[in-house]
């Protein structure tokens, strides 16, 4: 029997507070809620637009699909006393990114999926998109690994509109007028080609691409636009920016070198004629 991870009374209070706030500042439109299984472990894989979308994703899942949202939350967030208490009481999973504890967090997520029958939300991109047009970026392979290890379905979810509520990098939300927030959930991603295969880098990469392709297609449907042929790669973009910065510094460093002030000839005199 699945374990109840959440405190029911905390769940009741938090859900009503969040619902009240979001109904005040957003106009939600939800499609595809029937694609989220009514019970049993399920991975909800969503794109990431804004620091506000954990609230809107949770709203979509809890009210629209009737499933309690479970997130993996950054350890820094979990250090805030009130947030920590609420997060623990609502079954959220802390994670220290870039550390050995990240593996432990994935183990906790696996337990939530397979033993507790939870619906666990992941952002495969790992951070808010930096694509100039806000399309989903390339993703990390943690979601694919977890899906192939546990065998639970991955439901792709795309959303659009939170960037108008609070754009990434901004600290000032635009609360009024109410913002249109659109959601679309698709059927579980077809990962059958990768099941029962060794979890090689190639298998995980291809499975991750399949997950992100479904999310991107759903967002394209919401936006009525054509996504880019290749997703934005944040790692490569940062590498290009670093190389460009080094290239800009190179001429300045060259100008400051002593040899540019004149060189000495064989007779010991300066070649400038001095």
């Amino acid at each position: 029997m699945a374990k109840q991870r959440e405190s029911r009374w905390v769940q009741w209070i938090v859900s009503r507070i969040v619902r009240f706030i979001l109904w005040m500042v957003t106009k939600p439109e939800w499609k595809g809620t029937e694609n989220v299984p009514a019970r049993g472990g399920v991975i909800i894989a969503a794109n990431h637009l804004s620091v506000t979308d954990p609230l809107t994703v949770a709203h979509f899942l809890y009210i629209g699909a009737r499933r309690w949202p479970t997130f993996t939350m950054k350890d820094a967030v979990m250090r805030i006393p009130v947030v920590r208490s609420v997060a623990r009481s609502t079954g959220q999973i802390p994670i220290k990114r870039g550390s050995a504890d990240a593996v432990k967090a994935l183990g906790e997520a696996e337990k939530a999926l397979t033993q507790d029958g939870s619906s666990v939300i992941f952002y495969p991109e790992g951070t808010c998109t930096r694509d100039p047009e806000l399309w989903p970026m390339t993703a990390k392979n943690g979601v694919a690994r977890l899906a192939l290890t546990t065998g639970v379905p991955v439901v792709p979810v795309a959303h659009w509109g939170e960037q108008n509520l609070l754009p990434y990098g901004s600290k000032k939300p635009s609360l009024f007028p109410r913002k249109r927030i659109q959601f679309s959930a698709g059927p579980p991603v077809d990962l059958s080609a990768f099941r029962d295969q060794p979890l090689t880098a190639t298998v995980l990469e291809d499975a991750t691409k399949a997950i992100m392709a479904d999310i991107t297609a759903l967002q394209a449907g919401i936006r009525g636009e054509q996504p880019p042929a290749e997703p934005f790669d944040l790692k490569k973009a940062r590498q290009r920016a670093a190389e460009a910065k080094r290239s800009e510094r190179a001429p300045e460093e060259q100008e400051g070198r002593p040899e540019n002030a004149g060189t000495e000839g064989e007779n010991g005199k300066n070649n400038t004629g001095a």
Side-chain angles (χ1 to χ4, degrees), residues 33 51 79 103 105 137 190 261:
T33 54
V51 295
R79 292 194 192 112
V103 177
M137 304 186 295
D190 183 5

Side-chain angles (χ1 to χ4, degrees), residues 48 124-140 168 208-209 212-213 216 219 223 226-241:
H48 205 352
E125 298 159 279
T127 185
C128 291
T129 184
R130 304 298 199 280
D131 180 88
E133 301 299 323
L134 302 181
W135 290 102
M137 304 186 295
T138 56
K140 303 180 187 298
Y168 175 77
T208 299
K209 287 180 178 178
M212 294 310 297
T216 302
Q219 196 191 74
R223 296 170 60 168
Q226 187 68 26
E230 293 292 330
F232 183 82
D233 190 315
L234 181 57
K235 183 178 180 180
K236 289 182 179 179
R238 285 172 171 169
Q239 289 173 344
R240 288 194 295 267

Side-chain angles (χ1 to χ4, degrees), residues 71-89:
F71 286 91
T72 54
M73 301 182 67
K74 291 182 180 180
D75 184 63
V77 177
M78 294 289 280
R79 292 194 192 112
I80 303 171
V82 175
V83 174
R84 180 174 62 243
S85 298
V86 171
R88 286 177 176 172
S89 297

Side-chain angles (χ1 to χ4, degrees), residues 10-46:
V10 175
Q11 183 186 70
W12 187 89
I13 293 172
V14 170
S15 65
R16 275 150 184 79
I17 292 173
V18 172
R19 286 170 64 183
F20 175 76
I21 293 172
L22 290 178
W23 282 118
M24 288 287 290
V25 300
T26 69
K27 293 186 288 184
E29 297 177 9
W30 300 328
K31 293 181 179 179
T33 54
E34 70 279 2
N35 290 313
V36 180
R39 59 184 60 83
V42 57
I43 293 172
I44 306 297

Side-chain angles (χ1 to χ4, degrees), residues 77-218:
V77 177
M78 294 289 280
R79 292 194 192 112
I80 303 171
V82 175
V83 174
R84 180 174 62 243
S85 298
V86 171
R88 286 177 176 172
S89 297
T90 54
Q92 310 309 311
I93 301 169
I95 181 171
K96 292 182 180 179
R97 302 192 187 280
S99 71
D101 283 353
V103 177
K104 181 180 177 182
L106 282 178
E108 182 66 21
E110 181 175 342
K111 177 184 175 184
L113 289 165
T114 58
Q115 296 183 29
D116 304 336
S118 300
S119 51
V120 184
I121 300 164
F122 289 92
Y123 294 112
E125 298 159 279
T127 185
C128 291
T129 184
R130 304 298 199 280
D131 180 88
E133 301 299 323
L134 302 181
W135 290 102
M137 304 186 295
T138 56
K140 303 180 187 298
N141 64 23
V143 172
R145 180 184 295 275
L146 196 58
L148 295 175
T149 300
T150 62
V152 303
V154 179
V155 172
V157 172
H159 52 97
W160 185 247
E162 291 90 348
Q163 74 279 4
N164 299 320
L165 184 61
L166 182 64
Y168 175 77
S170 175
K171 295 182 179 179
K172 187 177 180 180
S174 174
L175 302 179
F176 303 103
R178 294 166 66 204
K179 303 299 183 290
R180 184 187 187 196
I181 308 295
Q182 297 169 277
F183 271 83
S184 181
V189 181
D190 183 5
L191 298 176
S192 58
F194 313 107
R195 302 285 185 192
D196 302 321
Q197 289 195 35
L199 297 183
T200 63
T202 300
V203 167
L204 292 173
E205 180 181 357
D206 289 347
T208 299
K209 287 180 178 178
I211 293 168
M212 294 310 297
D214 280 11
I215 295 172
T216 302
L218 288 168

